[in-house]
Amino acid sequence: MLSLSIGEVSAALRKGRLSATELCRRCLNRIRKTRHLNAYITVTEDLAMKQAQEAELRLTRGKPLGPLDGIPFSVKDNFCTENIETTCASHMLRGYFPPFSATVVQKLLDQGAVLVGKTNLDEFAMGSGSTDSVFGPVRNPWSYSVSYREQSREQDPDSDWVIAGGSSGGSAAAVASLSSFMALGSDTGGSTRNPGSLCGLVALKPTYGLLSRHGLIPLVNSMDVPGIMTRTVHDAATVLDVLQGRDEKDSTTVESAYSPSSLPEEFDVRDICVGVPKEYHAPGMSAETLAQWGRVVALFERAGARVKEVSLPHTQHSIVCYHVLCCCEVASNMARFDGLQYGHRSKVDSSTEALYATTRHEGFNSVVRSRILAGNYFLLKQNYDRYFVKAQQIRRLITEDFRRVFQSGVDVLLTPTTLSDAARYSDFIQEDNRTRSAQEDIFTQPVNVAGLPAVTVPTALSSRGLPISLQLIGQSFQDMKLLTVANWMEQQLDFPIIRFHDDTDQERECKLGS
Amino acid sequence: MAASSSGSSTLKRTLCTFIRYRSVRCVRQCNASIRTVCTSGSTSQLQPKIQSKGVSSQLRGVVGLEIHAQIHATSKLFACSRVAFCSPPNSSVAFLDASLPGTLPVLNRRCVEAAVITGLALNCTINRKSLFDRKHYFYADMPAGYQITQQRLPIAVNGSLIYSYFGGRKRNQVLSRCVRIKQIQLEQDSGKSLHDDQRSQTLIDLNRAGVGLMELVMEADMSCGDEAAAAVRELQLILQTLGTCQGNMSEGQLRVDANVSVHCPGEPLGVRTEVKNINSARYVARAIDYEIQRQKKVLENGGIIVNETRAFDSKSGTTIPMRDKEGLQDYRFMPEPNLPPLFVYEDEASVPAGVNPTQVVMIDRLKAELPELPGVRRARMVDQYKILPEHSFTLVNEDGLTEYFERVVRNTKAEPRKVIGWVMKELLGNLNQQSLKLAQSPVSPEALADLLNVLESGHISSSAAKVVFQEMWKAPEKAVEQLVKELDLGLVSDREKLLKICQKVVDTHPEQLNVPTTKSNLLTIGGLDLESHTKLKWKNTLQADPTLM
């Protein structure tokens, strides 16, 4: 039952085959059972049960609020949730209970969705492995899957596990481990798509401006978007429809009038032109990922879609450009954490300056601190033109690349999401956060620079038994069209449902549900 | 607030009182609420060369102003929290004002309109597109660690302000000057810090944090304290007329920083200092004049002027260096990524499709609503009513006085030039004496008009009218005619009666008869003695119809 899609479980709830409280209880049990994944920072058990009871009342009366009524979900712990601790996985915000909820969270709650917990992440969403959290790293649920265990030489899963990807690794692990039916992530350089890809999920990064950022604790304001993680493209479309639209509290949002509310019934793949950017043949890409890319390109071609190679010449500079802009905004956004109004406050108070310095030193990890330092350097008067302005110019060029390609008749771009399947934790931490972020974000991050929508769809399991995914990139505010193509692709691929090697009741549940 | 607990309940609790933290203050002597960029490039400026002591008399002051005007609006620049003075600490703080993470600024249209109106009144070019930037510095009453301002592209540029002041030897000459307005930018105000040095504590009140400010930058077109003070007063008056700022300097609604330097005319400008926190127009004049003299003296003694920030100490009337390093600070400006460019439109036709015209700022609409500005009004007063220019200043400076004056003029047959005398002397005299505002005047313009009509009709003398005015002041409920009757102030026009009175006076004061008899003497004689020799009151003697005397 827990591995069903939202569409399926919602139907079961409406038909009374399943009660919302029972569903919620099972998810909470599942959370307890998968605690070793470290997917959750906070489990909102009491609140969830209360919400589930309310949902049940509505469902039994035949008056659900919508397709998400009674559906358990989780939220990355960098979205504010009213009176629920919101930490950003940082010592700085431990014990911080925001007095308001993020708009996207509130919209889900208003639809009757049941919040089961807040999920783990890299501190302040800075990372690509969910390994740099003050609460410890997130483990990829696929580490415990039958497919992975069968090929692993290690007997003890605790000594051989793979990362969940990041920075929204907790959200991905929550959905992949079947304790949430959907999760909110945030995506600044790939933070939703990267873990979505490594955990075998559908992960959507909507167009910048389509979803409100109000209540999302920012990393890079000009690139951040709330991301949606689900098990199917259809579910992602359902959630997108609930979340999209202008929010008065976020001046960068726009009306979603021209974005349809659901996937079209009729879709002919032969009307579609798929672009394959040649620059995405990056060094370091695994042979298997390349093979999957080729396989899906062939799939489109065989089905009659037009496939053409395109060029995005400035994409190669995206990582450097992103690095500069990210550090600048980080330096600025993090300035508010001074320990005076909220959050951690150091006991050193010999002077106001000393209080600031020690509070910030104690509160932030070295990744955050180094980005702040770099950002402040780039913003210095004497450096501003050389770094910030240059980076903005390159950003414009990257955006222009995409625009040109889409103007040439291309509807969507097909690329890998990550270089390879998930790395072992022990391998991943051999390199520092900055190097890893630069490597891991290479395919995902130009999309953020340009503000475009993109979705990752799992295509197959690698020889290690881990998910490999591909990314589709769409035109601005064509999110539903993008999902329509992704939906078609998903249907052709038949990606397997996760099976846990030590889990007997999962099979039983599956039968029960279907 | 405790270091560890920061839950919303604690937060709300905290927000109803001061946010406090232990601190040992080491940097700041004066609490400059808003820091401004210090003089870029000023270090390369030349020190005026002083060859001999006599040259110092040729040195001239050069003054530019940066003025922060709090926008008169119900809510703050980027949040819905109320703008409220004198409310309990931290009682008007939105989540954004406390910089809670995840909050985003939402621009208040009223503030934009206020800036546009002000820009129009100051002959500025209104930028159809302007941008917001972040200016970074750490200070406890600036919780985000940056201020949102308009550094790159402000809302209004290239304006001018014409102001006048009394100069010349006797200070009775109206001198007119013009200062260029470089720009008007929208920005956030900061909160307030209260330092308790005894307990090594700092208390923070965020009620003011996020209030909308217009920073007006005036070019260094002024040369002395009087000019600067007059410019400030004129600006204050304009803002009050527009209703875009209440302009009360002592409450910090209008704050002036002055950039002061000296040079010999024709030579490059000297190194400037910035005098901060001047909170009255009078102090503007004093601070600037002191600073000019100080700089002259320093140069005269062979010293050099240091580019620094100074504060005006009103007690000693001097400026003193502020012990902070603001001049060296790099504000690390960056575009504000959460606010799209601010567009204002010329008229409805220029609003692009898809944009709701009721939701945008339109210049032609605001232009149409502009009130009569002080300068125009003064000129009209002089032109229309033939009054003296200095009277036009008084009329315009006092809130509502022009309207009062015009209402009297409308309701009386008396000449406006006569009316102005009454308004200036009797009305203002009484108001000033009792420290009342015009709105508190017991004598309404209509009542004054009635009095002047009675006077015009010849029924009472002008001195009697003044007596009546004083009585009206005491008993505003009584009509003019009633007072005239009650006081028996009507002119004595009965020839016989007058003769008797005069005879009596003359009889009792034979010594006075040596004085040549003229009309005025007769009156004087009567005035001196009538009270004691007749049953008539002293004042009554003056009520004799002068033509009969």
Side-chain angles (χ1 to χ4, degrees), chain A residues 83 215 332 336 342 349 376, chain B residues 8 22 99 102 134 136 332:
Chain A
N83 294 326
S332 176
R336 70 190 56 215
Y342 46 80
D349 56 2
N376 279 324
Chain B
S8 66
R22 226 185 80 80
S99 80
R134 290 181 180 181
H136 298 89
R332 291 157 288 131

Side-chain angles (χ1 to χ4, degrees), chain B residues 232 236 247-254 256 278-281 284:
Chain B
V232 168
Q236 187 181 26
N248 187 333
M249 291 187 76
S250 60
E251 278 183 34
Q253 290 162 346
L254 199 65
V256 178
I278 319 178
N279 63 4
S280 82
V284 168

Side-chain angles (χ1 to χ4, degrees), chain B residues 249-264:
Chain B
M249 291 187 76
S250 60
E251 278 183 34
Q253 290 162 346
L254 199 65
R255 307 194 282 269
V256 178
D257 299 337
N259 291 312
V260 181
S261 65
V262 295
H263 77 142
C264 293

Side-chain angles (χ1 to χ4, degrees), chain A residues 457-479:
Chain A
V457 178
T459 61
L461 293 181
S462 69
S463 57
R464 296 163 67 212
L466 298 172
I468 296 176
S469 304
L470 294 179
Q471 171 181 245
L472 287 168
I473 303 169
Q475 303 176 55
S476 271
F477 299 104
Q478 303 282 323
D479 301 56

Side-chain angles (χ1 to χ4, degrees), chain B residues 114-182:
Chain B
V116 171
I117 292 169
T118 306
L120 291 172
L122 295 173
N123 313 305
C124 290
T125 305
I126 307 298
N127 279 325
R128 299 300 184 265
K129 175 188 171 184
S130 62
L131 301 170
F132 289 97
D133 304 282
R134 290 181 180 181
K135 175 182 179 179
H136 298 89
Y137 55 87
F138 280 106
Y139 201 64
D141 54 27
M142 181 59 84
Y146 56 81
Q147 174 198 30
I148 303 177
T149 177
Q150 294 196 299
Q151 190 235 356
R152 290 167 297 164
L153 199 50
I155 186 142
V157 292
N158 299 333
S160 62
L161 169 72
I162 294 166
Y163 63 94
S164 306
Y165 67 104
F166 293 98
R169 258 201 210 135
K170 289 181 179 168
R171 290 190 164 260
N172 58 359
Q173 233 179 309
V174 178
L175 301 174
S176 200
R177 296 275 184 276
C178 178
V179 57
R180 288 168 297 154
I181 309 281
K182 183 165 176 258

